Amino acid sequence: MYICLKTMIRLKNIFNSLAIPLVCQLPFFMIYMLWTAKDAMLEFFASGWGEARDVCYAVCICTFRAYIACGLLQWVQKLWFKVWVYVVFFIGMFITLFLHKTFSMNISPTIFTLLAETNSHEISDFWHTFVLSSATWAALRNMLCMCLFALVLEWAHARYLLPCINQKCRMALGVMLVPMLAIGVYGARLYADLFTLQQTDELMEWEDRYPYALNDEATRLLQSAWGIHLAAREVPQVVHTTLQTLSHDKATLTDSDSLNVVLVIGESFIKWHSNLYGYPLLTNPNLTAERDKGNLFVMNRAESPFNTTSKVMRNMLCCNSLADGEAWNKSPYFLSLIKQAGYRVLWWDNQRDMYPGESFSFALNSLLYHPDIVRTAYSQTNAESFDYDGLLLDDFEKNAQFVGNKHFMVFHLVGQHFMPVSRFPQKPEFLRFTPHDVPAHHPWLTPEKRQIVADYDNATLYNDWVIGRLFQRFAHTNTALVYLSDHGEEVYDYRDSFGRVNDVLTPQRFRYQYEIPLFIWLSPTYQKRHPQIVESVRHAINHHFVSDNLCHLMFHLAGVKTKFYRAEKDLIQK
């Protein structure tokens, strides 16, 4: 009995002590939780119990971080330190509000990269354009309202609340804190995982593992700093390798005839939603017409090594081979070799500004738009991105400058990227398919989901129209065009799933997410001048191909001679 009583007293003292930082610094705790946990709670109210686990983690980890801050304030117990903490907190709040209202972005590695690349003239333009804008004043107004609320809380806490919180209340708070802090400590392993990441591609996977992570400025700062550290370690390697290659192993041309080579990189194209691969709906009429004319060759066994754009693109555009254990950042960027050989390289990318604050965009753009890559690989690039890929082609027609007789063009499309309804103009010619046309009859296909499938098929139809414009543009020239998608997707095809869920890699999931469409289009002029290549392409339609070996196919079609070309990796040379 005595031992039990002693244990109860000890527990009571522990719970009381545990509650002291929260009780004494309650206003800061409330402000911090209101600001950092709001997104999680809004997500819960919007999505219901389906998001309950993630919301619980988010609230508990916010509680843990708030408790650490309150403990620090209670330990120092200096007014100047408390004011300093509030100032830092509200500056972070203002920056977040400003970025969100002005650019619809949060603190991210991209923001710090842009700041590092900004010169004094651009800072002046930025100041006059954005800092003095109505969005800035709105952000400032919201921050000042929160400051006023904090002052009122501090006053009410000192005057009324603190004297009313007795020992029983403190013990109750301590008891409530124990499970929340325990879950928060467990959730805080995300920081340990963050600092074990070795590649920028892994940032996106980290965010997927911890969807509740980026709900405060401190975590965003840590994630941004580590992302920049990883990029600073990765990208200079590929840049160094590329510059060394250009200096010591010059790429050359096998002939001097005029030639256009076009590389079109699609996005999230499920090959099984193309009638060229057996889909019941005519989603690719232009591609089908060119196939029937004998100009288009459909490759049947193309695959992507990954199901994320940044990983695919970085391995696709460098000369490494994953099957041989080669890293992308230890091999040269193949477009730099194309340009050195004598081609004018025109790079038109409709995703460069698509998701500027996202980790996958930062991971990819840190390579594609590194100053040395831009200088050595591209002769001209687009200046802006567009809502639709057709507008990207309009921009190309208006601004692309053709100089000389060798042109290598790259179009990186938005394609059928999530959400498909936003990937095509809402015009009658692109609204061909309705929910009633969807050929599948799975039990999970509600009317809303059938509409999403119909939207995807219409986006595929629009993608076909975009590619068809390129066929028309180069129909009477000596041109070879290659189209492939970065990866596939799922739109309720074999299970109740939309997007790319990274669960167990089953044959069905591989079929829809990793198998990709690949087409080679050869203009009539090209076919007359290169009959041997035509035969090679015709015989390659059933060859197995992984997209990280793309450079070898492009070297072959472009007639570029380099030591990095490997015939055994070339789709049409095997």
Side-chain angles (χ1 to χ4, degrees), residues 9-50:
I9 294 172
R10 187 172 296 172
L11 285 173
K12 184 178 178 181
N13 291 334
I14 290 173
F15 290 140
N16 274 314
S17 300
L18 197 64
I20 287 174
L22 190 151
V23 170
C24 295
Q25 307 297 334
L26 187 61
F28 182 81
F29 181 85
M30 293 174 65
I31 291 290
Y32 186 95
M33 291 297 293
L34 180 65
W35 177 244
T36 60
K38 67 182 187 308
D39 293 336
M41 297 308 299
L42 290 173
E43 181 71 21
F44 174 73
F45 291 126
S47 305
W49 291 103

mmCIF file of all heavy atoms in Angstrom, residues 9-50:
data_model
loop_
_atom_site.group_PDB
_atom_site.id
_atom_site.type_symbol
_atom_site.label_atom_id
_atom_site.label_comp_id
_atom_site.label_asym_id
_atom_site.label_seq_id
_atom_site.Cartn_x
_atom_site.Cartn_y
_atom_site.Cartn_z
ATOM 1 N N ILE A 9 2.183 9.327 -5.940
ATOM 2 C CA ILE A 9 2.700 10.682 -5.689
ATOM 3 C C ILE A 9 3.777 11.032 -6.699
ATOM 4 O O ILE A 9 3.836 12.154 -7.235
ATOM 5 C CB ILE A 9 3.236 10.778 -4.241
ATOM 6 C CG1 ILE A 9 2.091 10.633 -3.241
ATOM 7 C CG2 ILE A 9 3.988 12.084 -4.040
ATOM 8 C CD1 ILE A 9 2.543 10.530 -1.803
ATOM 9 N N ARG A 10 4.636 10.063 -6.995
ATOM 10 C CA ARG A 10 5.714 10.293 -7.949
ATOM 11 C C ARG A 10 5.147 10.575 -9.348
ATOM 12 O O ARG A 10 5.603 11.487 -10.037
ATOM 13 C CB ARG A 10 6.637 9.089 -7.976
ATOM 14 C CG ARG A 10 7.899 9.283 -8.804
ATOM 15 C CD ARG A 10 8.851 8.102 -8.615
ATOM 16 N NE ARG A 10 9.315 8.029 -7.237
ATOM 17 C CZ ARG A 10 10.024 7.017 -6.740
ATOM 18 N NH1 ARG A 10 10.311 5.967 -7.502
ATOM 19 N NH2 ARG A 10 10.425 7.037 -5.478
ATOM 20 N N LEU A 11 4.136 9.781 -9.751
ATOM 21 C CA LEU A 11 3.499 10.010 -11.051
ATOM 22 C C LEU A 11 2.820 11.377 -11.090
ATOM 23 O O LEU A 11 2.879 12.094 -12.102
ATOM 24 C CB LEU A 11 2.475 8.910 -11.342
ATOM 25 C CG LEU A 11 3.026 7.543 -11.759
ATOM 26 C CD1 LEU A 11 1.907 6.522 -11.843
ATOM 27 C CD2 LEU A 11 3.748 7.656 -13.098
ATOM 28 N N LYS A 12 2.186 11.719 -9.962
ATOM 29 C CA LYS A 12 1.524 13.024 -9.891
ATOM 30 C C LYS A 12 2.523 14.153 -10.067
ATOM 31 O O LYS A 12 2.272 15.122 -10.788
ATOM 32 C CB LYS A 12 0.816 13.134 -8.542
ATOM 33 C CG LYS A 12 0.011 14.395 -8.355
ATOM 34 C CD LYS A 12 -0.681 14.378 -6.990
ATOM 35 C CE LYS A 12 -1.461 15.659 -6.755
ATOM 36 N NZ LYS A 12 -2.109 15.665 -5.427
ATOM 37 N N ASN A 13 3.670 14.027 -9.448
ATOM 38 C CA ASN A 13 4.715 15.050 -9.589
ATOM 39 C C ASN A 13 5.252 15.109 -11.024
ATOM 40 O O ASN A 13 5.535 16.190 -11.551
ATOM 41 C CB ASN A 13 5.850 14.769 -8.610
ATOM 42 C CG ASN A 13 5.444 14.982 -7.170
ATOM 43 O OD1 ASN A 13 4.520 15.763 -6.887
ATOM 44 N ND2 ASN A 13 6.095 14.297 -6.239
ATOM 45 N N ILE A 14 5.396 13.919 -11.640
ATOM 46 C CA ILE A 14 5.884 13.879 -13.036
ATOM 47 C C ILE A 14 4.898 14.584 -13.962
ATOM 48 O O ILE A 14 5.284 15.400 -14.815
ATOM 49 C CB ILE A 14 6.111 12.417 -13.473
ATOM 50 C CG1 ILE A 14 7.313 11.817 -12.743
ATOM 51 C CG2 ILE A 14 6.328 12.336 -14.996
ATOM 52 C CD1 ILE A 14 7.501 10.328 -12.978
ATOM 53 N N PHE A 15 3.603 14.265 -13.804
ATOM 54 C CA PHE A 15 2.591 14.882 -14.674
ATOM 55 C C PHE A 15 2.530 16.393 -14.458
ATOM 56 O O PHE A 15 2.382 17.172 -15.409
ATOM 57 C CB PHE A 15 1.217 14.262 -14.424
ATOM 58 C CG PHE A 15 1.092 12.840 -14.904
ATOM 59 C CD1 PHE A 15 0.411 11.886 -14.145
ATOM 60 C CD2 PHE A 15 1.661 12.442 -16.110
ATOM 61 C CE1 PHE A 15 0.299 10.581 -14.580
ATOM 62 C CE2 PHE A 15 1.550 11.136 -16.551
ATOM 63 C CZ PHE A 15 0.872 10.204 -15.795
ATOM 64 N N ASN A 16 2.636 16.803 -13.197
ATOM 65 C CA ASN A 16 2.636 18.238 -12.904
ATOM 66 C C ASN A 16 3.848 18.934 -13.526
ATOM 67 O O ASN A 16 3.732 20.012 -14.120
ATOM 68 C CB ASN A 16 2.637 18.461 -11.394
ATOM 69 C CG ASN A 16 1.235 18.438 -10.812
ATOM 70 O OD1 ASN A 16 0.328 19.050 -11.346
ATOM 71 N ND2 ASN A 16 1.056 17.712 -9.719
ATOM 72 N N SER A 17 5.004 18.312 -13.385
ATOM 73 C CA SER A 17 6.228 18.893 -13.945
ATOM 74 C C SER A 17 6.160 18.941 -15.472
ATOM 75 O O SER A 17 6.617 19.902 -16.095
ATOM 76 C CB SER A 17 7.449 18.081 -13.509
ATOM 77 O OG SER A 17 7.563 18.063 -12.103
ATOM 78 N N LEU A 18 5.583 17.883 -16.050
ATOM 79 C CA LEU A 18 5.464 17.821 -17.507
ATOM 80 C C LEU A 18 4.591 18.948 -18.045
ATOM 81 O O LEU A 18 4.832 19.478 -19.135
ATOM 82 C CB LEU A 18 4.873 16.457 -17.899
ATOM 83 C CG LEU A 18 5.019 16.019 -19.362
ATOM 84 C CD1 LEU A 18 6.486 15.846 -19.724
ATOM 85 C CD2 LEU A 18 4.263 14.708 -19.584
ATOM 86 N N ALA A 19 3.597 19.348 -17.259
ATOM 87 C CA ALA A 19 2.646 20.369 -17.719
ATOM 88 C C ALA A 19 3.165 21.790 -17.525
ATOM 89 O O ALA A 19 2.614 22.733 -18.122
ATOM 90 C CB ALA A 19 1.319 20.208 -16.992
ATOM 91 N N ILE A 20 4.213 21.984 -16.712
ATOM 92 C CA ILE A 20 4.660 23.341 -16.379
ATOM 93 C C ILE A 20 5.019 24.175 -17.610
ATOM 94 O O ILE A 20 4.563 25.327 -17.740
ATOM 95 C CB ILE A 20 5.834 23.284 -15.371
ATOM 96 C CG1 ILE A 20 5.307 22.882 -13.987
ATOM 97 C CG2 ILE A 20 6.551 24.628 -15.283
ATOM 98 C CD1 ILE A 20 6.389 22.651 -12.949
ATOM 99 N N PRO A 21 5.859 23.667 -18.578
ATOM 100 C CA PRO A 21 6.173 24.499 -19.754
ATOM 101 C C PRO A 21 4.940 24.918 -20.545
ATOM 102 O O PRO A 21 4.843 26.058 -21.006
ATOM 103 C CB PRO A 21 7.078 23.586 -20.600
ATOM 104 C CG PRO A 21 7.671 22.627 -19.619
ATOM 105 C CD PRO A 21 6.588 22.384 -18.623
ATOM 106 N N LEU A 22 3.985 23.997 -20.664
ATOM 107 C CA LEU A 22 2.772 24.331 -21.429
ATOM 108 C C LEU A 22 1.930 25.353 -20.669
ATOM 109 O O LEU A 22 1.428 26.315 -21.265
ATOM 110 C CB LEU A 22 1.973 23.048 -21.684
ATOM 111 C CG LEU A 22 0.802 23.158 -22.675
ATOM 112 C CD1 LEU A 22 0.581 21.816 -23.370
ATOM 113 C CD2 LEU A 22 -0.490 23.554 -21.954
ATOM 114 N N VAL A 23 1.767 25.151 -19.365
ATOM 115 C CA VAL A 23 0.943 26.075 -18.573
ATOM 116 C C VAL A 23 1.549 27.475 -18.559
ATOM 117 O O VAL A 23 0.850 28.474 -18.753
ATOM 118 C CB VAL A 23 0.780 25.540 -17.137
ATOM 119 C CG1 VAL A 23 0.138 26.602 -16.236
ATOM 120 C CG2 VAL A 23 -0.048 24.271 -17.140
ATOM 121 N N CYS A 24 2.861 27.556 -18.355
ATOM 122 C CA CYS A 24 3.507 28.870 -18.235
ATOM 123 C C CYS A 24 3.662 29.574 -19.583
ATOM 124 O O CYS A 24 3.736 30.806 -19.624
ATOM 125 C CB CYS A 24 4.869 28.707 -17.568
ATOM 126 S SG CYS A 24 4.779 28.122 -15.864
ATOM 127 N N GLN A 25 3.722 28.806 -20.663
ATOM 128 C CA GLN A 25 3.900 29.407 -21.983
ATOM 129 C C GLN A 25 2.707 29.098 -22.896
ATOM 130 O O GLN A 25 2.839 28.945 -24.110
ATOM 131 C CB GLN A 25 5.194 28.872 -22.630
ATOM 132 C CG GLN A 25 6.435 29.022 -21.774
ATOM 133 C CD GLN A 25 6.773 30.472 -21.499
ATOM 134 O OE1 GLN A 25 6.431 31.374 -22.273
ATOM 135 N NE2 GLN A 25 7.467 30.719 -20.379
ATOM 136 N N LEU A 26 1.527 29.048 -22.278
ATOM 137 C CA LEU A 26 0.322 28.654 -23.002
ATOM 138 C C LEU A 26 0.017 29.541 -24.209
ATOM 139 O O LEU A 26 -0.377 29.025 -25.270
ATOM 140 C CB LEU A 26 -0.868 28.627 -22.038
ATOM 141 C CG LEU A 26 -2.184 28.077 -22.612
ATOM 142 C CD1 LEU A 26 -2.006 26.629 -23.062
ATOM 143 C CD2 LEU A 26 -3.303 28.180 -21.566
ATOM 144 N N PRO A 27 0.176 30.857 -24.143
ATOM 145 C CA PRO A 27 -0.122 31.674 -25.334
ATOM 146 C C PRO A 27 0.729 31.296 -26.552
ATOM 147 O O PRO A 27 0.199 31.173 -27.669
ATOM 148 C CB PRO A 27 0.189 33.104 -24.855
ATOM 149 C CG PRO A 27 -0.007 33.047 -23.385
ATOM 150 C CD PRO A 27 0.473 31.697 -22.971
ATOM 151 N N PHE A 28 2.037 31.102 -26.331
ATOM 152 C CA PHE A 28 2.884 30.720 -27.467
ATOM 153 C C PHE A 28 2.482 29.345 -27.993
ATOM 154 O O PHE A 28 2.442 29.119 -29.205
ATOM 155 C CB PHE A 28 4.359 30.710 -27.064
ATOM 156 C CG PHE A 28 5.280 30.365 -28.205
ATOM 157 C CD1 PHE A 28 5.656 31.330 -29.129
ATOM 158 C CD2 PHE A 28 5.732 29.059 -28.391
ATOM 159 C CE1 PHE A 28 6.483 31.015 -30.194
ATOM 160 C CE2 PHE A 28 6.563 28.729 -29.448
ATOM 161 C CZ PHE A 28 6.936 29.713 -30.362
ATOM 162 N N PHE A 29 2.175 28.427 -27.078
ATOM 163 C CA PHE A 29 1.746 27.082 -27.490
ATOM 164 C C PHE A 29 0.502 27.168 -28.363
ATOM 165 O O PHE A 29 0.413 26.506 -29.417
ATOM 166 C CB PHE A 29 1.474 26.236 -26.250
ATOM 167 C CG PHE A 29 1.040 24.827 -26.559
ATOM 168 C CD1 PHE A 29 1.974 23.833 -26.791
ATOM 169 C CD2 PHE A 29 -0.313 24.503 -26.629
ATOM 170 C CE1 PHE A 29 1.578 22.528 -27.085
ATOM 171 C CE2 PHE A 29 -0.727 23.211 -26.925
ATOM 172 C CZ PHE A 29 0.232 22.222 -27.150
ATOM 173 N N MET A 30 -0.460 27.968 -27.967
ATOM 174 C CA MET A 30 -1.708 28.085 -28.725
ATOM 175 C C MET A 30 -1.470 28.715 -30.095
ATOM 176 O O MET A 30 -2.007 28.243 -31.114
ATOM 177 C CB MET A 30 -2.724 28.902 -27.925
ATOM 178 C CG MET A 30 -3.211 28.211 -26.651
ATOM 179 S SD MET A 30 -4.279 29.280 -25.647
ATOM 180 C CE MET A 30 -5.692 29.475 -26.748
ATOM 181 N N ILE A 31 -0.662 29.769 -30.139
ATOM 182 C CA ILE A 31 -0.362 30.424 -31.419
ATOM 183 C C ILE A 31 0.366 29.464 -32.351
ATOM 184 O O ILE A 31 0.050 29.360 -33.552
ATOM 185 C CB ILE A 31 0.492 31.694 -31.187
ATOM 186 C CG1 ILE A 31 -0.333 32.780 -30.493
ATOM 187 C CG2 ILE A 31 1.060 32.216 -32.504
ATOM 188 C CD1 ILE A 31 -1.412 33.404 -31.351
ATOM 189 N N TYR A 32 1.347 28.759 -31.808
ATOM 190 C CA TYR A 32 2.125 27.826 -32.619
ATOM 191 C C TYR A 32 1.230 26.724 -33.177
ATOM 192 O O TYR A 32 1.299 26.383 -34.372
ATOM 193 C CB TYR A 32 3.245 27.215 -31.768
ATOM 194 C CG TYR A 32 4.199 26.345 -32.555
ATOM 195 C CD1 TYR A 32 5.384 26.857 -33.059
ATOM 196 C CD2 TYR A 32 3.913 25.002 -32.801
ATOM 197 C CE1 TYR A 32 6.260 26.062 -33.783
ATOM 198 C CE2 TYR A 32 4.776 24.198 -33.518
ATOM 199 C CZ TYR A 32 5.948 24.733 -34.016
ATOM 200 O OH TYR A 32 6.803 23.945 -34.739
ATOM 201 N N MET A 33 0.377 26.145 -32.319
ATOM 202 C CA MET A 33 -0.499 25.064 -32.766
ATOM 203 C C MET A 33 -1.528 25.580 -33.769
ATOM 204 O O MET A 33 -1.838 24.899 -34.758
ATOM 205 C CB MET A 33 -1.204 24.432 -31.566
ATOM 206 C CG MET A 33 -0.283 23.646 -30.652
ATOM 207 S SD MET A 33 0.469 22.213 -31.466
ATOM 208 C CE MET A 33 -0.963 21.182 -31.727
ATOM 209 N N LEU A 34 -2.052 26.747 -33.539
ATOM 210 C CA LEU A 34 -3.036 27.319 -34.458
ATOM 211 C C LEU A 34 -2.446 27.488 -35.849
ATOM 212 O O LEU A 34 -3.102 27.226 -36.866
ATOM 213 C CB LEU A 34 -3.524 28.670 -33.919
ATOM 214 C CG LEU A 34 -4.565 29.409 -34.774
ATOM 215 C CD1 LEU A 34 -5.864 28.618 -34.834
ATOM 216 C CD2 LEU A 34 -4.822 30.807 -34.213
ATOM 217 N N TRP A 35 -1.182 27.891 -35.907
ATOM 218 C CA TRP A 35 -0.546 28.158 -37.192
ATOM 219 C C TRP A 35 -0.064 26.877 -37.887
ATOM 220 O O TRP A 35 -0.283 26.693 -39.080
ATOM 221 C CB TRP A 35 0.627 29.117 -37.001
ATOM 222 C CG TRP A 35 1.382 29.400 -38.274
ATOM 223 C CD1 TRP A 35 2.675 29.086 -38.545
ATOM 224 C CD2 TRP A 35 0.889 30.064 -39.439
ATOM 225 N NE1 TRP A 35 3.027 29.498 -39.803
ATOM 226 C CE2 TRP A 35 1.949 30.105 -40.372
ATOM 227 C CE3 TRP A 35 -0.335 30.612 -39.787
ATOM 228 C CZ2 TRP A 35 1.813 30.681 -41.631
ATOM 229 C CZ3 TRP A 35 -0.483 31.195 -41.044
ATOM 230 C CH2 TRP A 35 0.581 31.221 -41.945
ATOM 231 N N THR A 36 0.557 25.985 -37.135
ATOM 232 C CA THR A 36 1.189 24.830 -37.782
ATOM 233 C C THR A 36 0.260 23.638 -37.957
ATOM 234 O O THR A 36 0.466 22.828 -38.867
ATOM 235 C CB THR A 36 2.429 24.367 -36.982
ATOM 236 O OG1 THR A 36 2.032 23.999 -35.659
ATOM 237 C CG2 THR A 36 3.463 25.477 -36.896
ATOM 238 N N ALA A 37 -0.743 23.505 -37.104
ATOM 239 C CA ALA A 37 -1.629 22.337 -37.210
ATOM 240 C C ALA A 37 -2.899 22.620 -38.002
ATOM 241 O O ALA A 37 -3.704 21.724 -38.220
ATOM 242 C CB ALA A 37 -1.990 21.829 -35.817
ATOM 243 N N LYS A 38 -3.049 23.868 -38.459
ATOM 244 C CA LYS A 38 -4.299 24.223 -39.145
ATOM 245 C C LYS A 38 -4.512 23.428 -40.424
ATOM 246 O O LYS A 38 -5.636 22.990 -40.725
ATOM 247 C CB LYS A 38 -4.324 25.728 -39.445
ATOM 248 C CG LYS A 38 -3.294 26.192 -40.455
ATOM 249 C CD LYS A 38 -3.359 27.686 -40.666
ATOM 250 C CE LYS A 38 -2.441 28.151 -41.800
ATOM 251 N NZ LYS A 38 -1.053 27.681 -41.662
ATOM 252 N N ASP A 39 -3.430 23.228 -41.209
ATOM 253 C CA ASP A 39 -3.566 22.500 -42.472
ATOM 254 C C ASP A 39 -4.002 21.063 -42.237
ATOM 255 O O ASP A 39 -4.831 20.526 -42.982
ATOM 256 C CB ASP A 39 -2.242 22.522 -43.249
ATOM 257 C CG ASP A 39 -1.879 23.905 -43.737
ATOM 258 O OD1 ASP A 39 -2.799 24.727 -43.892
ATOM 259 O OD2 ASP A 39 -0.680 24.166 -43.959
ATOM 260 N N ALA A 40 -3.433 20.440 -41.209
ATOM 261 C CA ALA A 40 -3.802 19.056 -40.902
ATOM 262 C C ALA A 40 -5.275 18.967 -40.499
ATOM 263 O O ALA A 40 -5.998 18.056 -40.933
ATOM 264 C CB ALA A 40 -2.914 18.512 -39.784
ATOM 265 N N MET A 41 -5.737 19.903 -39.680
ATOM 266 C CA MET A 41 -7.133 19.869 -39.245
ATOM 267 C C MET A 41 -8.077 20.161 -40.408
ATOM 268 O O MET A 41 -9.136 19.527 -40.525
ATOM 269 C CB MET A 41 -7.351 20.882 -38.110
ATOM 270 C CG MET A 41 -6.561 20.581 -36.848
ATOM 271 S SD MET A 41 -6.794 18.880 -36.249
ATOM 272 C CE MET A 41 -8.548 18.867 -35.929
ATOM 273 N N LEU A 42 -7.707 21.093 -41.276
ATOM 274 C CA LEU A 42 -8.538 21.367 -42.452
ATOM 275 C C LEU A 42 -8.617 20.143 -43.354
ATOM 276 O O LEU A 42 -9.672 19.844 -43.924
ATOM 277 C CB LEU A 42 -7.970 22.567 -43.222
ATOM 278 C CG LEU A 42 -8.115 23.928 -42.541
ATOM 279 C CD1 LEU A 42 -7.351 24.997 -43.328
ATOM 280 C CD2 LEU A 42 -9.588 24.324 -42.429
ATOM 281 N N GLU A 43 -7.482 19.431 -43.489
ATOM 282 C CA GLU A 43 -7.464 18.194 -44.275
ATOM 283 C C GLU A 43 -8.401 17.156 -43.666
ATOM 284 O O GLU A 43 -9.113 16.441 -44.378
ATOM 285 C CB GLU A 43 -6.033 17.643 -44.334
ATOM 286 C CG GLU A 43 -5.889 16.374 -45.142
ATOM 287 C CD GLU A 43 -6.038 16.596 -46.630
ATOM 288 O OE1 GLU A 43 -5.859 17.737 -47.095
ATOM 289 O OE2 GLU A 43 -6.359 15.609 -47.322
ATOM 290 N N PHE A 44 -8.415 17.090 -42.342
ATOM 291 C CA PHE A 44 -9.288 16.133 -41.658
ATOM 292 C C PHE A 44 -10.753 16.461 -41.915
ATOM 293 O O PHE A 44 -11.560 15.582 -42.239
ATOM 294 C CB PHE A 44 -8.991 16.139 -40.161
ATOM 295 C CG PHE A 44 -9.935 15.282 -39.360
ATOM 296 C CD1 PHE A 44 -9.843 13.907 -39.409
ATOM 297 C CD2 PHE A 44 -10.909 15.860 -38.569
ATOM 298 C CE1 PHE A 44 -10.708 13.105 -38.675
ATOM 299 C CE2 PHE A 44 -11.776 15.075 -37.834
ATOM 300 C CZ PHE A 44 -11.682 13.695 -37.884
ATOM 301 N N PHE A 45 -11.106 17.752 -41.789
ATOM 302 C CA PHE A 45 -12.500 18.136 -42.005
ATOM 303 C C PHE A 45 -12.915 17.937 -43.463
ATOM 304 O O PHE A 45 -14.074 17.660 -43.760
ATOM 305 C CB PHE A 45 -12.716 19.591 -41.589
ATOM 306 C CG PHE A 45 -12.625 19.806 -40.105
ATOM 307 C CD1 PHE A 45 -11.772 20.757 -39.573
ATOM 308 C CD2 PHE A 45 -13.384 19.036 -39.229
ATOM 309 C CE1 PHE A 45 -11.680 20.952 -38.210
ATOM 310 C CE2 PHE A 45 -13.294 19.226 -37.854
ATOM 311 C CZ PHE A 45 -12.444 20.186 -37.349
ATOM 312 N N ALA A 46 -11.938 18.068 -44.392
ATOM 313 C CA ALA A 46 -12.253 17.892 -45.811
ATOM 314 C C ALA A 46 -12.333 16.423 -46.208
ATOM 315 O O ALA A 46 -13.164 16.039 -47.032
ATOM 316 C CB ALA A 46 -11.196 18.607 -46.673
ATOM 317 N N SER A 47 -11.457 15.597 -45.637
ATOM 318 C CA SER A 47 -11.354 14.199 -46.072
ATOM 319 C C SER A 47 -11.970 13.203 -45.100
ATOM 320 O O SER A 47 -12.141 12.041 -45.449
ATOM 321 C CB SER A 47 -9.873 13.841 -46.290
ATOM 322 O OG SER A 47 -9.275 14.729 -47.195
ATOM 323 N N GLY A 48 -12.264 13.620 -43.878
ATOM 324 C CA GLY A 48 -12.890 12.715 -42.931
ATOM 325 C C GLY A 48 -11.904 11.746 -42.312
ATOM 326 O O GLY A 48 -10.698 11.977 -42.259
ATOM 327 N N TRP A 49 -12.444 10.618 -41.870
ATOM 328 C CA TRP A 49 -11.641 9.655 -41.106
ATOM 329 C C TRP A 49 -10.588 8.964 -41.946
ATOM 330 O O TRP A 49 -9.672 8.333 -41.403
ATOM 331 C CB TRP A 49 -12.571 8.626 -40.467
ATOM 332 C CG TRP A 49 -13.405 9.220 -39.385
ATOM 333 C CD1 TRP A 49 -14.717 9.559 -39.452
ATOM 334 C CD2 TRP A 49 -12.970 9.590 -38.073
ATOM 335 N NE1 TRP A 49 -15.138 10.117 -38.278
ATOM 336 C CE2 TRP A 49 -14.089 10.143 -37.397
ATOM 337 C CE3 TRP A 49 -11.751 9.499 -37.408
ATOM 338 C CZ2 TRP A 49 -14.018 10.606 -36.095
ATOM 339 C CZ3 TRP A 49 -11.681 9.959 -36.105
ATOM 340 C CH2 TRP A 49 -12.805 10.503 -35.459
ATOM 341 N N GLY A 50 -10.686 9.057 -43.267
ATOM 342 C CA GLY A 50 -9.673 8.437 -44.127
ATOM 343 C C GLY A 50 -8.289 9.009 -43.900
ATOM 344 O O GLY A 50 -7.277 8.344 -44.141
#
